[in-house]
């Protein structure tokens, strides 16, 4: 556990995060970089965050790091509207897969509070498959089984997570059991 924990490295800026990602990639890991913050309502802050993700993508591509970026929907507009979020997400995805990059930089969509989960997944359903984006799904929601089945059927990528919020619908033991069952569903 200590070895895994020591691999989680917070950085105070994008360049330091990419340096840490480069080191982790050399050690055989696939680093995931995300920016701290959520629930942005300021247009200026949202636009700056979208630009920051584009910059991270550029750095990962420039240094040929086999890593990915993970974004929180409320960082890029979901706290304002589903439309704002969808627009900004597509701008980031187009940038991650632009012709100027030697390699595509994979993008993962985090899943936040239950109140935002429906809109997050609804937008994901409409992202064209060629963007190869991966959506996090929380094991502690009743609908996760149905969502996973739908995304498997459509050939979409998901990342199963336990979830970090206290708003789950199951006890810790039940969530652990669901993680096993949902993992088996994904593997099958």
């Amino acid at each position: 556990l200590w070895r895994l924990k020591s691999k989680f490295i917070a950085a105070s800026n994008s360049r330091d995060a990419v340096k840490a990602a480069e080191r982790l990639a050399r050690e055989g890991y696939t680093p995931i970089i995300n920016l701290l913050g959520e629930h942005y309502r300021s247009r200026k802050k949202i636009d700056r965050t979208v630009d920051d993700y584009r910059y991270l993508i550029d750095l990962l591509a420039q240094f040929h790091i086999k890593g990915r970026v993970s974004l929180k929907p409320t960082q890029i507009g979901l706290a304002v509207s589903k439309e704002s979020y969808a627009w900004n997400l597509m701008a980031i995805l187009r940038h991650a897969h632009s012709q100027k990059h030697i390699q595509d930089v994979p993008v993962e969509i985090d899943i936040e509070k239950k109140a935002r989960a429906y809109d997050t997944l609804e937008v994901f359903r409409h992202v064209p498959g060629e963007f190869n984006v991966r959506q996090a799904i929380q094991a502690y929601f009743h609908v996760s089984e149905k969502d996973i089945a739908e995304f498997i059927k459509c050939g979409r990528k998901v990342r199963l997570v336990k979830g970090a919020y206290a708003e789950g619908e199951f006890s810790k033991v039940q969530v652990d059991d669901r993680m096993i069952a949902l993992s088996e569903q994904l593997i099958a």
Side-chain angles (χ1 to χ4, degrees), residues 37-154:
E38 54 189 78
H39 308 294
Y40 296 167
R41 293 191 172 277
S42 159
R43 183 82 249 162
K44 188 175 179 179
K45 198 168 194 176
I46 291 167
D47 290 345
R48 188 172 347 121
T49 303
V50 170
D51 288 342
D52 288 345
Y53 275 114
R54 286 182 180 137
Y55 181 65
L56 269 175
I57 288 164
D58 288 344
L59 288 174
L60 287 171
Q62 176 186 348
F63 293 106
H64 309 288
I65 298 169
K66 297 290 184 195
R68 64 179 60 239
V69 297
S70 176
L71 30 104
K72 296 181 187 84
T74 61
Q75 281 182 313
I76 62 168
L78 188 59
V80 173
S81 72
K82 185 167 63 171
E83 294 75 19
S84 176
Y85 164 58
W87 178 266
N88 289 324
L89 175 63
M90 289 307 300
I92 291 169
L93 293 176
R94 281 191 295 275
H95 189 77
H97 299 280
S98 73
Q99 295 297 327
K100 77 176 196 170
H101 294 138
I102 293 168
Q103 69 180 31
D104 285 346
V105 176
V107 175
E108 179 173 295
I109 303 168
D110 206 346
I111 192 86
E112 296 177 284
K113 289 184 174 188
K114 184 178 181 180
R116 303 284 188 201
Y118 177 82
D119 287 342
T120 300
L121 296 178
E122 185 63 27
V123 169
F124 177 67
R125 285 179 178 93
H126 293 94
V127 172
E130 67 263 20
F131 287 109
N132 203 21
V133 65
R134 185 167 75 166
Q135 173 66 59
I137 301 285
Q138 292 175 335
Y140 65 59
F141 294 146
H142 281 289
V143 298
S144 295
E145 229 166 8
K146 178 183 77 61
D147 291 332
I148 288 172
E150 174 191 344
F151 295 141
I152 289 171
K153 186 177 179 183
C154 299

Side-chain angles (χ1 to χ4, degrees), residues 167-187:
E167 61 184 8
E169 300 162 341
F170 298 97
S171 70
K172 182 188 176 330
V173 171
Q174 289 172 314
V175 170
D176 290 343
D177 290 343
R178 285 183 59 77
M179 280 294 291
I180 292 167
L182 294 173
S183 295
E184 288 172 350
Q185 180 184 2
L186 284 166
I187 291 168

Side-chain angles (χ1 to χ4, degrees), residues 17-46:
V18 170
K19 285 179 188 174
E22 187 175 32
R23 181 180 50 77
L24 290 170
R26 278 194 315 266
E27 293 177 17
Y29 294 94
T30 302
I32 300 172
I33 301 175
N34 66 355
L35 303 172
L36 295 179
E38 54 189 78
H39 308 294
Y40 296 167
R41 293 191 172 277
S42 159
R43 183 82 249 162
K44 188 175 179 179
K45 198 168 194 176
I46 291 167

